[in-house]
Amino acid sequence: MSKKIYYATYSHPFAELLVAQDNQGVCAVLLGDHQHDLITDLQSRFSKDEIIEDKALLQKNLQRVKDFLTRPDHPLKLKLSLHGTDFQKRVWHVLEKIPIGTTVSYSQIAEQIGQPTAMRAVAGACAKNPVALAVACHRVLRSDGGISGYRWGVERKRKLIALEKKYATDAAHS
C-alpha cells in the first residue's frame, strides 16, 4: 500500500540537506552535494510511495537539523520512523544512544546487540541508515580508531566528529 512521504530540502554550508517524514515521523535525513541527488535517493528508498515536497510541514524538523549542524551539543530531537530490517533497526537503536563527542567501533556495536561476530553486518546497517545525524552512524569507527566509509562522505564524517568533540569538550569545561 502506497503512503505519502513529505520532504523539504535546504542548502547548508555543511551539505545539501533533505528531511522527509511519513505519518509516523522523520523517515529520512539525507546529506549530499546536490539536492537533485538527494531527491533521487529519497525516491529510490520509497519507490512505492508518493513523494511530495512540503517545506511548511517540515519547517520545524528541518530547523532542528540545521541547529544541530550549528550546535551539536543541543540534542537532535526528531520523532523517527525507521524503515529497515529487524537487524538494521537493532543497530540503529544502539547508534541513537551514542553520546555526542564519543565514538565506538563496529565490533562494540556488534557486542551490544549480542552478535559479536557481526561487525560487517553492523557496517552494512550503518551504510543503510536513512536518517543521518539522528542515527549517529558517523560516530562509529574501525577497531583501530580509523575512519572507514561513510554513506555521506568520509570528509563529512571527519568534520562531524571534530565538530561534536569540540562542543562536547566545551560543554565539559563550562
Side-chain angles (χ1 to χ4, degrees):
M1 185 168 120
S2 176
K3 64 181 176 227
K4 293 182 180 184
I5 306 290
Y6 300 93
Y7 78 93
T9 57
Y10 180 78
S11 292
H12 188 277
F14 182 76
E16 295 297 318
L17 306 173
L18 182 146
V19 176
Q21 71 182 50
D22 58 21
N23 63 345
Q24 300 295 310
V26 173
C27 57
V29 176
L30 308 177
L31 310 173
D33 296 324
H34 306 286
Q35 288 182 4
H36 177 270
D37 294 341
L38 298 177
I39 295 166
T40 301
D41 185 2
L42 182 70
Q43 290 168 332
S44 69
R45 289 173 186 268
F46 298 97
S47 61
K48 294 182 172 113
D49 300 315
E50 184 180 359
I51 308 295
I52 304 163
E53 185 173 17
D54 192 333
K55 289 190 188 284
L57 176 68
L58 283 145
Q59 183 177 5
K60 188 180 287 185
N61 285 331
L62 194 57
Q63 187 62 50
R64 287 179 174 139
V65 173
K66 293 186 305 190
D67 290 347
F68 179 82
L69 286 170
T70 303
R71 292 287 312 263
D73 54 331
H74 293 104
L76 180 58
K77 294 186 178 184
L78 299 172
K79 181 180 181 219
L80 299 179
S81 175
L82 297 174
H83 300 269
T85 66
D86 289 342
F87 180 85
Q88 289 169 337
K89 289 178 185 178
R90 286 187 10 236
V91 170
W92 297 339
H93 287 301
V94 171
L95 299 179
E96 286 180 272
K97 295 174 176 69
I98 302 170
I100 181 176
T102 304
T103 57
V104 298
S105 69
Y106 294 102
S107 59
Q108 287 173 304
I109 300 295
E111 289 278 344
Q112 286 186 40
I113 63 168
Q115 293 187 252
T117 60
M119 287 89 62
R120 286 182 191 254
V122 166
C126 290
K128 296 281 188 184
N129 171 21
V131 285
L133 311 172
V135 172
C137 58
H138 62 278
R139 297 179 187 150
V140 185
L141 304 175
R142 293 188 321 230
S143 293
D144 66 3
I147 292 180
S148 55
Y150 182 53
R151 169 76 179 81
W152 293 285
V154 171
E155 193 52 39
R156 280 195 185 98
K157 184 172 185 170
R158 276 192 185 89
K159 287 179 182 177
L160 279 170
I161 290 169
L163 180 66
E164 289 184 354
K165 284 190 183 205
K166 175 194 179 310
Y167 278 97
T169 302
D170 289 352
H173 291 102
S174 51

